[in-house]
Amino acid sequence: MSLNNNYQNSNEELIALKAVVEDTQINNMEELLDLAKSGDPGFLSLFQYIFPGLRDALSEINPSFGQEEFKLCAYIKLGFNTKEIAHFNHLSIRTVQTKKSRLRKTFNIPSQKNLYVWVSEISENIPFPVHSTVED
């Protein structure tokens, strides 16, 4: 009976811990979206914290890609469209379209391949990490 109580208590603690982790992940994502929308420079730092493997995955394809390409991939990973990316970064829509075109060249993405699908496929095998707080 004591063993059963210990198991039940452990199970309840595990459920509570999972809830805390899920809340933290949701809070991190909400903060990330807010930073992205405001064009805050801290956006990329938090993005890399939440999705640490994406930069490495992109580096394997083209080690010489730059910060701007990574930033565009981050916005694409989060599902923002061209108009939103332009608005958040105070750019023209045409500028973002040009950046997307250059991104295709940088990573040799075929024109028939959807850019959003491509970024999603690159990052689909990267697990969502479990972090409790954002490190400074």
Side-chain angles (χ1 to χ4, degrees), residues 1-134:
M1 186 154 186
S2 175
L3 190 58
N4 189 27
N5 285 341
N6 285 342
Y7 174 76
Q8 186 173 359
N9 288 342
S10 294
N11 196 30
E12 289 171 2
E13 289 174 10
L14 183 59
I15 291 169
L17 187 58
K18 284 182 180 179
V20 168
V21 168
E22 288 173 7
D23 285 346
T24 300
Q25 289 174 339
I26 290 169
N27 289 340
N28 282 347
M29 284 302 293
E30 288 174 355
E31 182 180 356
L32 180 65
L33 294 174
D34 289 343
L35 291 175
K37 291 175 183 178
S38 68
D40 190 293
F43 163 68
L44 279 183
S45 295
L46 184 57
F47 183 86
Q48 283 187 258
Y49 177 78
I50 294 174
F51 301 101
L54 183 58
R55 183 179 270 287
D56 292 338
L58 294 170
S59 287
E60 286 181 24
I61 298 167
N62 183 345
S64 64
F65 79 100
Q67 189 78 353
E68 285 301 310
E69 287 98 345
F70 180 64
K71 185 176 181 180
L72 183 57
C73 286
Y75 278 106
I76 290 170
K77 169 72 177 157
L78 295 174
F80 292 116
N81 64 36
T82 301
K83 186 176 179 180
E84 291 169 325
I85 296 168
H87 176 73
F88 301 152
N89 291 283
H90 310 288
L91 301 169
S92 72
I93 292 172
R94 182 67 188 137
T95 299
V96 175
Q97 291 169 334
T98 301
K99 287 177 179 276
K100 284 182 172 183
S101 177
R102 288 183 183 149
L103 185 71
R104 285 183 174 282
K105 290 178 185 175
T106 299
F107 292 104
N108 199 25
I109 304 166
S111 59
Q112 66 272 17
K113 183 74 170 183
N114 182 301
L115 194 55
Y116 289 81
V117 171
W118 183 84
V119 171
S120 179
E121 287 173 351
I122 291 298
S123 62
E124 72 183 8
N125 294 325
I126 301 169
F128 191 92
V130 177
H131 298 296
S132 58
T133 59
V134 176

